[in-house]
Amino acid sequence: MELRLLGPVEVRSETGVLIPLRRRQERLALAVLLLEPGRAVPVDRLVDLLWNQKPPPMARAALQTVMSHIRTALRSATDGAADESVRLLARGGGYLLQVRPECVDLHRFNRLVDEARAVQDPSARSARLASALDLWRGPALGDAATGDARERLCSELEESRFAAISDRIDAELDAGRHADVVAELSSLTIEHPLRERLHGQLMMALYRCGRRADALDAFRRARQLLVTELGLEPGPQLRALEASIIADTARTEDLLPVGTRARVVPAQLPPDLASFAGRSEELRRLDALLAENGSATAPSICLVTGTAGVGKTTLAVRWAQRARDRFPDGQMYLNLRGFDPVDPPAGPSETLPVLLQTLQVPAERIPATLEAQVASYRGLLAGRRMLIILDNVRDADQVRPLLPGAPGCAVVITSRNQLASLLVVDGARLLPLDLLSADEARELLAHRLGAERVAAEAGAVDDIIAKCARLPLALAIVAARAATHPAFALAALVGASHDPRVSLDTLDGGDQATRVRAVFSWSYQSLSHGAARLFRLLGLHPGPDIAAPAAASLAGTPIGPARLLLDELARAHLVSENSPGRYGFHDLLRAYAAELAHTHDHGTERHAALHRLFDHYLHTAHAAHRLLTPHRDPVAVGVPVPEVATEPLTDDVQALAWFVAERAVLVAVVAQAAKAGFDTHSWQLAWALTEFFARQGHWHEWAATHRTALQAIHGQTDHLGQAHTHRGLAIAYARLSRHDDAFTHFNRALELFTELDDRTSQGHTHLGVAWLFDRQGRRPQALDHAIQALALYREAGNAAGQANALNAVGWYHAQLGNYEQTLVHCEPAIALHRDSRDRRGEASTWDSLGYAHRHLGHHEQATACGRNAVELYREIGDRYNEADTLIRLGDTRHAVGDHHTAREHWRRALTILHELGHPDAGEARARLG
């Protein structure tokens, strides 16, 4: 089956037969789902796009009909047979299309472009880009998207097409075919007169043809166009190219290099607030402070301080969104949870790995020590112009390692505390943020409620402003309640009583705290009984956000009613739906909810709610883990308590997506469960996260969760939990190159599993020790432990374990030069892996067999084994091992003189390793010369 977006939207069968989608809405809906594969697209977004913001009265029913027609077309494309390559599913208030990337022309285009950018030879690079561009049959979504939908969906696609065209022209220039592209560039500069890159390429092509005068004339025409149309002079790069042509020193390198084009620019700023009001003086001062603070040797740092709810984050985000063009290398945002009522503040050991991964450092390359992480982070920022927002900071020690070490970057820090040492030691400039003025508060209400309503009840508005203490958060909550009750007089909203027993101490100043608490209570007391109870219990959740099934479990209600209660809370602005189906709230509201829970809900009820919550996460994580690793021996997690709603995951794609969405929550729950005395939940949840952490490379979080779990069960009688946690911590430490610590925990795990007479787990641990010895180059010791693991698995009758141990024994024999023994051990492992459905294990074993056959001179067998391994690794998304095997497969083809195929394998490996930022890219690059 082929699904096409790069031109008219089409569905074609494997034989090329066009399957008609007769209505434009059907074609557009399919396109929207294909643009977000594997993600549920909310119904509201689909309706908005399909009917150009003017939906028919029965839009949802009409959408169901559209989806039914799409399903029919997809079935027709496969002759009615079940095809696992594409499935259209209803998921969480939306629709999700599961599709293999190779079925979609857009994804093939992106893959070819990525491959091309890793190719060193310019002729080959140009050819690969030409192949990618040949997939375009006209404007993207040509017969489906119109008007606003076209602008929203297609602008990025067309930009990608333009970038590929420009990249191909660069490759042609690099290959010396400058004369061949002059005519094409002349046409392109007419079609796209404001694209400076095209003008630069035309200038270079003319110059390389010996037509220096024409090249300078091309610059003059470009300048005239830019000044006439935009009122702007050409950019510095185009001007520098003109100067180099005049000096007769122009080089192709003066155009944008491939590496610069391929680099991802972070854009993590939260959305700006449409109803932002006032603060013009503070915005001006931010401009001035950061301009004054910059120097030739240090970054710009501004500290925004003020009480809770005063709008520090809102101000920082508004300024950052306005100033983002000053930071072309990207904008990063981190919430450091300095005042979170449940979760501890995020320290540098948690935040630095996140920032390094944002800067495209693969998880396996993040240094183990904090000092090395700081050095790596500052080295990556050197020479860049980036903006970094560090939100909700408690103290200077939390943020100081995150400050850049060189000029060019700017940092905006928000905190309720003064952080005087940042001003004294680090040269930060202070911007204290006060309450809104009365006029600004009135402007905020007018933005949210309409100027006429505010003017009509001026006295009530003044009363609201006074009772809200001119605090933006409080004003926003009152405005939300007023907006949802347009028939209510504003005066009625401020006459509500409030509970005097509630104590909210997160604000400075007793009178102000009392007023804000009163504002919260107005919204809280307007809730239904069920919504009020859910709001209180949400204060027990560790955050940062919660999905509907988890909220249902927390409250002990079915998912359907829980969604309605969450919607009620969202309408009252007591929670916000930050992304489809996920809810969070301001930490002041979290603190208020937690206080209400401790005031109104008995300790046994709070304990029961936490039990349901932890059961939800543990049992869903366990099910997801089983979908990712059906061959792995599970730990017994018991039966969830009644009224627990787990996520209905059906395959490994959904399992991985759930882990990705819940990652921050799950890490927090491991710690919260340990703190609350749910020790078994803590270690079993940490165990269930290991396969996800392994696939994603989150070694630091793997280590942190296992340390937390081990502290919870240390000294208790749960020796099985201790054994599993020691072994998990050993693997994490090995990945972080803390080999001595890894050996210590492996040995303790082995002692405990031996006491428990758990032969299978002893085998797992011996394989871990063997792997650790192999990482140190100590192959005889590695082989010895692998042989011990094999014996233990055979005693236990564990076929999956035997398969892994046979492969390990065979691989270590190969490392010692005993290639015949590799065949003896690895060949029977293939069938065992297939029986246990362990595709990663099977791929690894095919790779071992290919390695042995190549060294024995069996090159055709080695090629067949390598191809099997690559295909399996590609299917399961294990990109590093796919690349590693491609390098060896290329070596095999090179040994028999098939140099073209060898280079193709090495280029593909280089592309993957380059995208991963892995140091092994140098190995592939060296083979390509």
Side-chain angles (χ1 to χ4, degrees), residues 137-169:
R137 298 164 289 110
L141 283 54
D143 62 346
T146 59
D148 182 62
R150 165 157 293 280
E151 178 65 25
R152 292 161 65 182
L153 297 174
C154 300
S155 57
E156 185 176 344
L157 300 180
E158 295 295 341
E159 195 65 31
S160 297
R161 182 187 193 182
F162 171 77
I165 292 170
S166 299
D167 286 356
R168 183 187 58 75
I169 292 170

Side-chain angles (χ1 to χ4, degrees), residues 736-748:
L736 293 170
S737 298
R738 294 175 56 175
H739 294 158
D740 290 344
D741 291 329
F743 275 122
T744 297
H745 288 283
F746 269 135
N747 289 335
R748 182 57 182 147

Side-chain angles (χ1 to χ4, degrees), residues 307-380:
T307 191
V310 79
K312 300 181 295 295
T313 301
T314 304
L315 175 70
V317 169
R318 164 55 64 100
W319 179 84
Q321 291 284 7
R322 295 196 334 175
R324 63 190 308 161
D325 289 344
R326 303 185 205 173
F327 304 98
D329 294 317
Q331 310 88 37
M332 297 190 291
Y333 171 88
L334 270 182
N335 180 0
L336 275 67
R337 304 193 308 267
F339 304 91
D340 192 286
V342 179
D343 281 349
S349 61
E350 177 182 343
T351 53
L352 273 167
V354 174
L355 289 169
L356 287 168
Q357 287 184 298
T358 300
L359 294 169
Q360 296 179 272
V361 178
E364 64 270 16
R365 292 184 63 194
I366 294 176
T369 66
L370 182 63
E371 293 78 7
Q373 290 173 11
V374 173
S376 177
Y377 169 69
R378 289 176 174 163
L380 288 167

Side-chain angles (χ1 to χ4, degrees), residues 575-899:
V575 301
S576 58
E577 191 172 7
N578 300 324
S579 60
R582 302 196 67 82
Y583 301 83
F585 49 10
H586 191 284
D587 52 9
L588 271 182
L589 285 163
R590 186 189 297 274
Y592 179 63
E595 286 189 0
L596 289 175
H598 283 81
T599 301
H600 296 287
D601 300 302
H602 193 272
T604 55
E605 166 60 11
R606 297 196 304 273
H607 185 274
L610 285 175
H611 196 162
R612 292 191 298 269
L613 181 73
F614 297 154
D615 267 5
H616 162 80
Y617 286 120
L618 174 60
H619 286 272
T620 306
H622 186 265
H625 177 86
R626 293 289 291 148
L627 288 167
L628 294 180
T629 57
H631 58 280
R632 186 174 176 185
D633 301 300
V635 299
V637 295
V639 178
V641 297
E643 299 177 323
V644 169
T646 57
E647 296 271 1
L649 308 175
T650 59
D651 56 31
D652 58 343
V653 174
Q654 291 182 16
L656 187 60
W658 182 81
F659 272 128
V660 169
E662 298 287 357
R663 171 185 160 195
V665 177
L666 293 170
V667 171
V669 167
V670 170
Q672 188 188 23
K675 184 178 179 180
F678 289 85
D679 303 334
T680 300
H681 285 78
S682 181
W683 81 256
Q684 289 183 343
L685 182 55
W687 177 91
L689 281 163
T690 53
E691 177 64 18
F692 166 65
F693 284 157
R695 292 194 182 194
Q696 299 286 305
H698 300 309
W699 314 122
H700 292 275
E701 290 180 351
W702 183 334
T705 52
H706 279 68
R707 280 194 300 267
T708 298
L710 194 57
Q711 290 169 1
I713 59 177
H714 180 70
Q716 298 187 11
T717 58
D718 188 355
H719 291 171
L720 180 64
Q722 292 174 31
H724 279 295
T725 309
H726 275 293
R727 186 165 66 85
L729 188 54
I731 295 170
Y733 280 152
R735 288 290 189 180
L736 293 170
S737 298
R738 294 175 56 175
H739 294 158
D740 290 344
D741 291 329
F743 275 122
T744 297
H745 288 283
F746 269 135
N747 289 335
R748 182 57 182 147
L750 199 53
E751 291 171 2
L752 289 166
F753 282 130
T754 301
E755 290 175 11
L756 294 165
D757 195 28
D758 185 340
R759 308 265 173 115
T760 291
S761 295
Q762 289 177 55
H764 294 337
T765 309
H766 275 292
L767 277 187
V769 175
W771 166 68
L772 183 53
F773 275 126
D774 183 44
R775 286 173 65 89
Q776 296 181 311
R778 299 161 69 181
R779 273 43 182 276
Q781 295 92 329
L783 177 59
D784 178 62
H785 280 276
I787 290 171
Q788 292 184 63
L790 180 58
L792 286 161
Y793 287 133
R794 282 173 172 162
E795 290 176 16
N798 188 304
Q802 290 177 55
N804 285 319
L806 283 166
N807 180 41
V809 170
W811 176 252
Y812 298 137
H813 269 303
Q815 298 305 297
L816 294 168
N818 306 324
Y819 304 114
E820 293 287 355
Q821 284 297 312
T822 302
L823 303 184
V824 168
H825 287 86
C826 289
E827 286 175 349
I830 294 293
L832 291 172
H833 278 308
R834 287 175 174 169
D835 289 343
S836 58
R837 295 185 297 155
D838 183 359
R839 291 188 291 169
R840 176 179 278 118
E842 183 184 346
S844 176
T845 306
W846 281 120
D847 184 36
S848 300
L849 286 167
Y851 182 85
H853 277 302
R854 180 165 67 85
H855 283 84
L856 290 169
H858 308 156
H859 296 297
E860 293 309 313
Q861 294 97 316
T863 298
C865 292
R867 286 173 176 162
N868 287 340
V870 167
E871 183 177 345
L872 284 166
Y873 280 133
R874 189 173 295 150
E875 286 178 5
I876 63 175
D878 189 336
R879 304 192 72 210
Y880 169 73
N881 279 310
E882 178 188 349
D884 190 45
T885 307
L886 280 166
I887 291 175
R888 285 193 282 276
L889 186 55
D891 292 343
T892 299
R893 299 316 303 162
H894 189 268
V896 296
D898 186 0
H899 302 305

